[in-house]
Amino acid sequence: YTDVSSPAVAQQEAEVFAATAGIPDKLYSRLELQMKGIDPEVMKSYATFAKTAAEHLDIEVGKHWALRKAVKDRLTLLKSVHIYKKHRVQYEVRNYYRFMHFHKLTGSTLDTFLEYIERNLPEGIALKVTKVELQELPEHLRK
């Protein structure tokens, strides 16, 4: 008995069914990872981990880089709730960004790779994934 109510289980069953039905695997020309975090050393270590994982899966690693400076968000608040407008407090959040590109992936390799690196995502890092899929040219444009 399997619980089909969760989307992850339903997706896994759909992937198994697609593999057995003879449907060709999707092809992706590029996978772009955007990492956002507050500690640049943790992000650098995680980028090394993702690169090593990609090399073990024979995924072509493209360029990877980090922004030179942090993106700073400042918030200014009054110290007092009612009066004393001259007395203020400033809070600052520094966010660091790192980008990575991977090239020429199949759908099954991409799913395995993403699941692995997302499960090992450290605290304090947000991951944004962008996939660029290769598609066949439509029939009306081939002529």
Side-chain angles (χ1 to χ4, degrees):
Y1 176 73
T2 57
D3 181 22
V4 186
S5 61
S6 70
V9 172
Q11 182 183 5
Q12 286 177 347
E13 287 185 1
E15 290 173 0
V16 169
F17 178 75
T20 57
I23 298 173
D25 209 1
K26 290 183 178 180
L27 297 176
Y28 294 92
S29 65
R30 185 171 65 226
L31 171 70
E32 301 171 2
L33 296 181
Q34 175 186 345
M35 292 176 268
K36 175 183 174 184
I38 56 172
D39 190 1
E41 295 302 319
V42 173
M43 289 178 47
K44 186 176 182 181
S45 172
Y46 183 68
T48 305
F49 162 75
K51 182 181 175 188
T52 306
E55 289 170 352
H56 282 293
L57 290 172
D58 293 330
I59 297 173
E60 183 182 326
V61 180
K63 53 184 190 169
H64 53 289
W65 70 96
L67 294 181
R68 288 181 175 220
K69 294 185 178 180
V71 177
K72 298 176 186 175
D73 294 328
R74 287 198 181 112
L75 179 65
T76 306
L77 299 173
L78 295 176
K79 277 188 178 179
S80 174
V81 180
H82 302 292
I83 53 174
Y84 305 112
K85 193 167 176 118
K86 293 180 184 177
H87 305 286
R88 297 176 183 253
V89 176
Q90 273 196 338
Y91 296 100
E92 179 177 278
V93 178
R94 295 179 185 177
N95 289 320
Y96 297 89
Y97 289 90
R98 183 171 284 274
F99 304 91
M100 297 183 79
H101 288 182
F102 301 96
H103 301 285
K104 300 175 186 169
L105 298 121
T106 62
S108 57
T109 307
L110 177 85
D111 292 338
T112 305
F113 177 64
L114 282 180
E115 182 178 345
Y116 183 62
I117 65 170
E118 285 174 356
R119 283 184 184 225
N120 294 305
L121 189 67
E123 291 183 8
I125 293 183
L127 186 67
K128 180 180 174 184
V129 178
T130 306
K131 307 172 195 173
V132 180
E133 183 181 351
L134 290 174
Q135 292 185 345
E136 197 172 326
L137 199 61
E139 188 65 40
H140 66 280
L141 294 176
R142 287 187 202 170
K143 298 175 183 179

